[in-house]
Amino acid sequence: MSKNFRVLASVAMAATLAATSACSSTRDAEESGSGDSGSNLVGIAMPTRSLERWNNDGAHLDGLLKTAGYTTSLQYADNKVDQQITQIENMINQNAKVLVVASIDGTALGPVLEKAANAKIKVIAYDRLINATPNVDYYATFDNYLVGKLQGEFIVDKLGLKDGKGPFNLEPFAGSSDDNNAKFFFNGAWDVLKPYVESGKLVIPSGKKIAGEEDWKTVSITGWKSETAQAEMDNRINSFYTGGKKVNVVLSPNDSLALGIAQSLESKGYKPGADYPLITGQDADLANVKNIQADKQAMTVWKDTRTLGDQVAKMVDSIVKGGTVETNDDKTYNNGNKVVPSYLLPPVVVVKDDIKTKLVDSGFYTADKLGL
Ligand code: BGC
């Protein structure tokens, strides 16, 4: 989508939401006879400020809903599950109409969401599915399996694996195991890479064996922390890359891990250039886009979080007005209790050559920020 079109589309959407929600809040006030601030309150529960993307996600959605006339409560929980539960409880007590929740632990919200259901509050799982509860109404996310598949395919293409090149030394990483997305990212990548591991064209010197369904957890990084990924990469290099053995490729599920992995490699003497390992990522975080410019990361899977916010704002509005909530996938995301109707958005691969056309021309980053 061109920049101008995107901007127009966003403005038009905010205007549509504003026009219609103004009516609905009047109606709500009349119906409840109160007009209290809770009457059109939308609660937005985000996991942490420590990762760039969640700051952008929260600010964008909050802005859209406010422009549309909603009252919002935007909360960040410092990656602490109890804190997030308390924040959601407060939103329920304030009579929120809808809760938008990007969970920290996808299995820990059952009891608090039961309270939400009792208070007739609808719940949208934002980006991450909420598991093991009937009380999640909708899910909006990017196609998580496709994110991993794009990373896997990128590795296959860049290494020339289809042309029989190899063997290459691969180190796989996965995201936080309490995040439902982590498994989808890993499976998407592994379904593409596994045949080359089996044929010996991809070798895993650290000896991580990923054969069974749950084995990805052996390479998962709790809390998606850069420091933990860095320490883990340090350990693998120290223990398994002796005698001149070199890392050729690292499957990193996202940018925060990729940052730690690149730092580890740098500290072990790897320098950008022909022998520098291929590192994947996700999110197009600023530091990582800069690393891509500096040839310290090969790619990132960009999820234009503005489009996710746009979609969720529309869902909120449809819920409040009693309209049909748009979904486009009603089979993939079973939360252990039910299949949650979902809206999946497409992720996009970004490499050095298309930083300008994809990230700058779309307005995601200014040229200034990237020194372009
Ligand atoms: C999101 C990723 C993000 C990761 C760490 C995942 O649930 O989908 O975009 O990198 O969490 O915050």
Side-chain angles (χ1 to χ4, degrees), residues 176-241:
S176 197
S177 55
D178 53 5
D179 178 347
N180 192 64
N181 288 350
K183 166 182 81 208
F184 281 87
F185 299 147
F186 194 85
N187 286 348
W190 211 245
D191 284 349
V192 177
L193 299 177
K194 197 170 164 206
Y196 300 100
V197 175
E198 285 171 352
S199 72
K201 291 294 184 186
L202 288 174
V203 179
I204 307 176
S206 63
K208 305 285 180 194
K209 290 234 177 337
I210 299 144
E213 264 211 22
E214 298 294 308
D215 288 350
W216 66 274
K217 290 185 181 162
T218 62
V219 292
S220 99
I221 298 292
T222 305
W224 297 94
K225 287 201 166 129
S226 303
E227 313 85 80
T228 316
Q230 181 171 357
E232 170 66 16
M233 192 70 215
D234 283 351
N235 282 341
R236 293 194 204 176
I237 294 175
N238 291 343
S239 311
F240 305 104
Y241 288 82

Side-chain angles (χ1 to χ4, degrees), residues 51 53 254-256 281-285 300-303 364-365:
L51 231 80
R53 73 150 291 184
N254 86 337
D255 280 353
S256 60
Q282 163 184 201
D283 291 333
D285 282 348
T300 188
V301 179
W302 175 43
K303 305 191 295 192
F364 195 72
Y365 286 124

